[in-house]
Amino acid sequence: MAEHRPDLVITDIRLPPENADDGLAAALRIRRTNPEIAVVVLSQYVQRSHAEELVSLGTEVLGLVAEGRSNASIAGALYLSEKAVVPHVSRIYDSLGLDADDADAHRRVQAVLQYLDHS
């Protein structure tokens, strides 16, 4: 693949000869080593953990939040639904220890400030 540099890779989760998760493993490897390559994973098997592992976008989502983008804009940039962005943002808040019950704080701004401190 290195000599071809595709713009898009389409794979199935299960690939011959073992019909295991070789396609998923390849997709994850591509996401880690070549994040600029779009990856489409097809499967008749619905396993949420596979999708969540492939779309672990927390740092990428936080970077777009830091750019001042709305959830709708983030969804468009990452080819997700806006509804799919919300749990990512919530997990970011949780992982940064930002309290949902603190009425005096704006978690989105606090998340961006922490992001900028570690950039």
Side-chain angles (χ1 to χ4, degrees):
M1 182 179 72
E3 61 271 2
H4 297 291
R5 294 282 179 210
D7 294 323
L8 171 68
V9 172
I10 300 174
T11 185
D12 193 300
I13 288 178
R14 295 183 180 199
L15 293 176
E18 297 176 21
N19 288 321
D21 64 354
D22 297 331
L24 177 65
L28 291 170
R29 197 167 39 255
I30 292 166
R31 283 288 287 158
R32 279 192 297 272
T33 60
N34 298 292
E36 72 282 358
I37 297 175
V39 177
V40 175
V41 179
L42 306 173
S43 182
Q44 68 183 24
Y45 306 98
V46 179
Q47 290 193 1
R48 186 179 178 98
S49 63
H50 286 168
E52 287 174 349
E53 185 177 2
L54 187 60
V55 187
S56 59
L57 302 170
T59 316
E60 192 171 355
V61 170
L62 184 52
L64 294 170
V65 168
E67 291 178 8
R69 294 187 182 219
S70 67
N71 285 356
S73 175
I74 293 168
L78 299 177
Y79 304 99
L80 300 171
S81 70
E82 188 173 352
K83 187 176 179 180
V85 171
V86 172
H88 285 291
V89 174
S90 292
R91 278 193 294 276
I92 289 168
Y93 295 156
D94 291 343
S95 69
L96 294 175
L98 302 175
D99 187 5
D101 296 326
D102 187 352
D104 294 329
H106 192 287
R107 292 189 304 163
R108 199 168 185 104
V109 173
Q110 288 180 322
V112 168
L113 292 173
Q114 286 192 34
Y115 173 79
L116 293 174
D117 281 346
H118 293 92
S119 296

